[in-house]
Amino acid sequence: MGKVIIDGAIVDNEWARLEADALEAGLPDGKVIVPLAYWQENRDTLMTRGDVAVWLAPGEEPKDLADDLSALSLVAIHFPAFKDGRGYSYARELRTRFAFKGEVRATGDVLRDQLFYLARCGFNAFEVREDRSIEEAVASLKDFTVRYQGDVNDPRPIYRQA
Amino acid sequence: MYVYQEHDQQLLNERVAQYRDQTRRYLAGELSEDEFLALRLQNGLYIQRYAPMLRIAVPYGLLSSRQLRRLAHISRTYDKGFAHVSTRQNVQMNWPALEDVPDILAELADVQMHAIQTSGNCIRNTTTDEYAGVNPKEIEDPRPWCEIIRQWSTFNPEFAYLPRKFKIAVNAVPDEDPAIIGVHDIGVQLVHNDAGETGFQVWAGGGLGRTPMTGAVIGEFVPWQHLLSYLESILRVYNKYGNRDNKYKARIKILVKALGADKYRELVEEEFAELKDGPMTLTEAEVARIQACFTDVEYRSDVDTSELDALLADNKAFNRWYHTNTRPHKQAGYRAVTLTLKKTGRVPGDISDEQLDAVADLADKYSFGEIRNSHQQNMVFSDVAASDLFALWQELDALGFATPNLGLLTDMVCCPGGDLCALANAKSIPVAESIQRRFDDMDYLHDLGKIDLNISGCMNACGHHHIGHIGILGVDKKGKEFYQVTLGGRGDRESKVGEKMGPSFESDEITDVIEKIIGLYVEKRLENEPFIDTYERIGMDPFKEHIYG
Ligand code: SF4
């Protein structure tokens, strides 16, 4: 079992993120994160299982999940390449527009140098790319102590921070 | 100018530590080229043709003499002893070693400077009129708003990996566009409503580069409290829907054009509805705090101007400089003075370490220790007492910064081009020099009057060639350097993209072509008619015929 950072701690990763082709043979047991399209097709049966989560690819927005969020404990946002920054806005929307309280997980090309920003946008879980040290990555969450803007964790910009 | 508080300084120090570690990991092979590329670009470090280039941020072009001296020191210690003023009011060093950059950043942080977000696909340095705060035509000082935008954009976590670079400019002058906001990703025009309240007309989707166009008005009147929420809304729409497959279609201008301004506005309004009146809302106290940083110049009310008239009458050279390189000021008894970095034989915008030190000394002596960089690659002393002008002129003349050609043909804007830049299609500096040498008669230049000539070495348009009355663009034809000419661009009263004249020219033809264009203008102009007006009156055809016919 791999490791994942959740709320600043390194813990065992209980969830498996599946691509569409891995689901052709059917849905495996255990905690799985499925693509949005698969979720939408099988929504009613998946809802009842309780241990199924959804991942969004770039171009798939939180609003596509709006009606289902209350049934989900985890939404993953996938980064095929770290340079595609759409996921930052998606996470923010999940938290602020849709008030999603569950886990928001970054998967894919997730690297320590992006972690601090990702956390500020509302991600609280990070599957760091496997060839990189997760211990070093977790340390980067403390790279900065000052922030000019408000963010998901503290909406107050610098001029409202006492 | 804005003075750092403890937290501003803390942020910079943390940044230096972060970048130092990133550089260490890259050198140790723990970061791939591609991963480090994104990180170093967010820090202004390009790998150029011969060496790295470090772009240092100069927020809205404003520098203190202490900062200027530090730049001199850095260029002396880590570079080849000169710096370059860019068309985005920043400063570039062309030969630093990659390993030294963390130390350079530490030296910069020590004087409240940095290289944060000076390149990369993020929000870049916010620019404005180089005469901001002293321009008698402005409705209020735009710099506090620039600083507010600077803080909001600095390390904004949501917008560090945008589809493409993003540039914001602010203008406070009605009916003129000294900050060329029309050709920025976002242009912010300060306006007052009928009740006299400050607000902003917000433009989006302008830009130069491969598909030059002027922006569209997205927000007609955004009250000042909501400036940041509104900008954030525009950025969020762009971050979600901007093209990420093709770098040439990734700027916001392409998205605004594809959706149409109305649709874009609708999407922005949706985001804005959510953010408006939220915690981002600016407070009176914060705006007042920042504004107070820009009203600290203590003008004298007893400036003696009695000798000035006599000096102007007696000294022709001083008179010419006064009328060309200085301009009116909000404060009676003061003038704003532009130091032209465009002497023939010198690379436009280049300045040596010794000159930087000398300019810093002069700024202390004559202009409250402040200097501005202009987007035309000059420097400005914004607050010179009229009684000091003659002495300052003499000192500037000795340094070579008093060439009375501001706004004239030889005050050209020119990117580093093929001599330094890895992206270039053609050299630009030798073209600038050749034209300067051809037009070396100062009387003739003054007779020609105001002509903006801009040169870029490639489509990236760092030399802003599209908005030159005459624009020159380096293009590559089968491995050979060619130059394409555009006419009729404007970056003065309004922002306007120039029109292509026709087939491009070889490097040994281009100066003759410019001379012919000027020749036709002289022949066709009405009395006192500037080049651009003649062009707009007679159109492209006569020029085409004259050159190709
Ligand atoms: S316009 Fe092109 S050649 Fe000139 S500096 Fe920019 S990228 Fe380099």
Side-chain angles (χ1 to χ4, degrees):
Chain A
M1 193 178 290
K3 297 282 181 188
V4 61
I5 299 170
I6 298 178
D7 296 330
I10 300 168
V11 296
D12 288 338
N13 184 5
E14 298 175 351
W15 292 85
R17 190 185 69 88
L18 301 173
E19 296 279 349
D21 49 6
L23 287 159
E24 276 164 20
L27 188 69
D29 288 337
K31 295 182 164 183
V32 288
I33 313 176
V34 302
L36 176 68
Y38 185 86
W39 170 265
Q40 286 170 332
E41 267 164 47
N42 305 288
R43 186 171 175 274
D44 294 339
T45 45
L46 295 179
M47 280 273 212
T48 57
R49 240 184 76 161
D51 57 356
V52 178
V54 182
W55 62 271
L56 300 174
E60 297 171 347
E61 294 184 52
K63 68 168 186 260
D64 301 333
L65 267 179
D67 297 335
D68 305 342
L69 286 171
S70 56
L72 292 166
S73 65
L74 185 161
V75 175
I77 293 169
H78 189 62
F79 291 85
F82 74 86
K83 281 188 239 173
D84 187 331
R86 278 176 278 192
Y88 293 79
S89 289
Y90 297 165
R92 182 143 184 163
E93 265 180 25
L94 271 176
R95 295 295 191 200
T96 56
R97 178 169 306 170
F98 299 106
F100 181 66
K101 295 280 186 294
E103 180 178 320
V104 179
R105 176 177 292 208
T107 63
D109 197 12
V110 177
L111 302 168
R112 67 167 280 176
D113 293 293
Q114 284 78 48
L115 241 52
F116 185 77
Y117 283 170
L118 289 167
R120 290 190 58 195
C121 288
F123 289 94
N124 70 319
F126 310 92
E127 287 184 17
V128 176
R129 218 173 73 191
E130 274 174 11
D131 59 335
R132 295 301 158 86
S133 153
I134 196 167
E135 286 79 15
E136 282 184 21
V138 79
S140 73
L141 290 171
K142 300 201 172 76
D143 273 355
F144 292 95
T145 59
V146 178
R147 30 174 206 88
Y148 282 131
Q149 317 77 11
D151 60 25
V152 165
N153 306 310
D154 179 351
R156 297 170 308 157
I158 191 80
Y159 44 90
R160 290 179 191 273
Q161 296 166 20
Chain B
M1 62 195 289
Y2 183 72
V3 179
Y4 276 25
Q5 302 197 346
E6 212 173 293
H7 66 257
D8 301 291
Q9 187 65 49
Q10 170 87 6
L11 187 68
L12 274 203
N13 297 347
E14 290 172 353
R15 170 57 177 167
V16 174
Q18 182 197 39
Y19 190 76
R20 194 180 286 287
D21 186 57
Q22 289 170 341
T23 304
R24 178 194 65 72
R25 280 184 282 136
Y26 169 69
L27 293 172
E30 293 170 28
L31 277 171
S32 72
E33 285 293 338
D34 202 40
E35 288 159 14
F36 187 58
L37 175 85
L39 302 177
R40 66 172 163 76
L41 284 183
Q42 302 255 347
N43 198 52
L45 189 66
Y46 288 77
I47 304 297
Q48 290 286 44
R49 187 154 283 193
Y50 303 109
M53 181 272 277
L54 179 66
R55 184 179 295 142
I56 297 165
V58 181
Y60 33 95
L62 191 56
L63 286 158
S64 69
S65 55
R66 176 161 180 250
Q67 292 174 325
L68 208 60
R69 284 191 192 94
R70 185 56 58 94
L71 292 175
H73 163 76
I74 289 170
S75 73
R76 194 157 42 232
T77 313
Y78 301 94
D79 204 292
K80 293 192 176 178
F82 66 91
H84 178 78
V85 176
S86 85
T87 52
R88 286 195 57 75
Q89 303 181 293
N90 288 321
V91 166
Q92 300 181 174
M93 301 276 172
N94 278 304
W95 309 91
L98 188 142
E99 297 77 4
D100 287 339
V101 172
D103 291 338
I104 297 176
L105 295 184
E107 298 247 21
L108 289 172
D110 193 37
V111 293
Q112 311 185 345
M113 292 186 81
H114 57 78
I116 296 164
Q117 291 168 212
T118 51
S119 57
N121 295 336
C122 50
I123 305 173
R124 305 287 190 86
N125 184 27
T126 297
T127 52
T128 191
D129 181 7
E130 62 267 26
Y131 304 111
V134 304
N135 189 336
K137 292 185 193 158
E138 73 189 13
I139 60 169
E140 64 179 85
D141 189 345
R143 292 172 301 168
W145 302 107
C146 293
E147 176 58 27
I148 286 167
I149 295 171
R150 183 192 76 80
Q151 296 193 13
W152 161 79
S153 61
T154 298
F155 295 141
N156 190 310
E158 193 177 339
F159 306 129
Y161 296 95
L162 295 169
R164 200 76 174 84
K165 58 187 170 184
F166 204 94
K167 301 175 179 179
I168 302 176
V170 183
N171 177 31
V173 182
D175 308 319
E176 274 177 43
D177 192 6
I180 48 173
I181 64 166
V183 289
H184 276 77
D185 295 285
I186 290 181
V188 176
Q189 175 77 40
L190 259 136
V191 285
H192 289 160
N193 66 10
D194 292 342
E197 293 154 336
T198 298
F200 305 94
Q201 187 186 56
V202 180
W203 296 58
L208 299 174
R210 189 165 295 246
T211 327
M213 58 181 89
T214 46
V217 174
I218 298 293
E220 194 52 66
F221 184 84
V222 178
W224 63 266
Q225 298 90 331
H226 306 305
L227 174 65
L228 297 184
S229 332
Y230 202 82
L231 295 180
E232 179 130 332
S233 304
I234 294 180
L235 260 299
R236 189 164 300 160
V237 171
Y238 171 58
N239 191 39
K240 286 199 293 183
Y241 305 119
N243 185 313
R244 289 177 186 266
D245 301 326
N246 178 346
K247 107 177 213 205
Y248 299 117
K249 299 205 161 117
R251 295 287 289 269
I252 189 178
K253 61 191 173 187
I254 307 288
L255 182 63
V256 172
K257 187 136 195 262
L259 295 175
D262 290 339
K263 177 70 187 165
Y264 202 96
R265 185 178 309 113
E266 193 186 307
L267 292 171
V268 169
E269 290 296 332
E270 229 172 86
E271 300 286 346
F272 185 55
E274 201 174 294
L275 295 175
K276 188 169 179 276
D277 296 318
M280 290 181 80
T281 309
L282 285 162
T283 62
E284 254 172 61
E286 174 67 356
V287 174
R289 172 180 86 87
I290 296 205
Q291 280 172 335
C293 295
F294 295 93
T295 52
D296 53 355
V297 175
E298 285 177 23
Y299 295 112
R300 295 193 339 248
S301 53
D302 60 343
V303 176
D304 180 9
T305 54
S306 56
E307 273 179 31
L308 183 64
D309 289 338
L311 287 164
L312 287 170
D314 286 352
N315 189 318
K316 188 165 172 263
F318 174 58
N319 187 305
R320 171 168 273 176
W321 173 82
Y322 175 89
H323 284 106
T324 312
N325 289 20
T326 81
R327 42 181 280 153
H329 197 287
K330 266 183 188 171
Q331 182 74 24
Y334 284 80
R335 303 278 291 182
V337 172
T338 302
L339 287 60
T340 42
L341 276 52
K342 308 289 176 64
K343 199 179 159 127
T344 301
R346 169 192 288 153
V347 175
D350 269 12
I351 180 163
S352 74
D353 59 330
E354 288 155 13
Q355 290 170 332
L356 284 164
D357 278 332
V359 170
D361 290 346
L362 291 180
D364 282 341
K365 196 161 155 192
Y366 296 110
S367 194
F368 300 92
E370 282 185 10
I371 302 96
R372 292 121 181 261
N373 291 342
S374 81
H375 76 268
Q376 291 93 348
Q377 301 175 294
N378 292 314
M379 285 181 165
V380 172
F381 286 169
S382 52
D383 304 284
V384 181
S387 51
D388 287 337
L389 284 170
F390 190 73
L392 173 60
W393 170 67
Q394 288 176 311
E395 297 210 45
L396 287 178
D397 197 36
L399 279 172
F401 291 133
T403 311
N405 65 348
L406 184 68
L408 306 183
L409 182 68
T410 53
D411 176 25
M412 35 190 120
V413 173
C414 176
C415 81
D419 291 297
L420 293 160
C421 174
L423 302 170
N425 284 326
K427 294 196 177 73
S428 50
I429 295 167
V431 173
E433 187 176 341
S434 163
I435 296 169
Q436 280 177 330
R437 292 204 185 282
R438 181 74 58 93
F439 292 89
D440 61 351
D441 178 343
M442 204 42 89
D443 290 329
Y444 184 52
L445 284 169
H446 277 264
D447 174 58
L448 293 176
K450 199 172 157 34
I451 304 178
D452 292 343
L453 177 72
N454 293 46
I455 311 173
S456 302
C458 78
M459 258 307 172
N460 284 320
C462 303
H464 295 173
H465 64 277
H466 301 107
I467 56 166
H469 300 156
I470 302 172
I472 299 177
L473 164 68
V475 290
D476 173 281
K477 269 202 207 161
K478 300 196 182 106
K480 251 186 115 176
E481 300 188 341
F482 276 77
Y483 296 90
Q484 197 171 73
V485 174
T486 50
L487 296 176
R490 304 191 73 134
D492 42 20
R493 217 168 51 215
E494 54 179 324
S495 295
K496 198 164 155 189
V497 171
E499 210 186 318
K500 256 182 236 163
M501 192 166 71
S504 51
F505 307 97
E506 295 202 43
S507 49
D508 58 357
E509 300 171 325
I510 185 71
T511 306
D512 294 338
V513 168
I514 300 302
E515 193 170 21
K516 275 184 160 174
I517 291 171
I518 299 299
L520 185 72
Y521 155 62
V522 170
E523 191 188 314
K524 299 283 182 194
R525 69 178 166 185
L526 306 176
E527 208 180 321
N528 290 327
E529 188 180 45
F531 176 85
I532 188 66
D533 291 2
T534 303
Y535 174 82
E536 289 181 354
R537 182 171 53 82
I538 69 176
M540 178 64 94
D541 288 345
F543 286 95
K544 250 190 187 153
E545 220 164 278
H546 188 59
I547 302 294
Y548 300 102

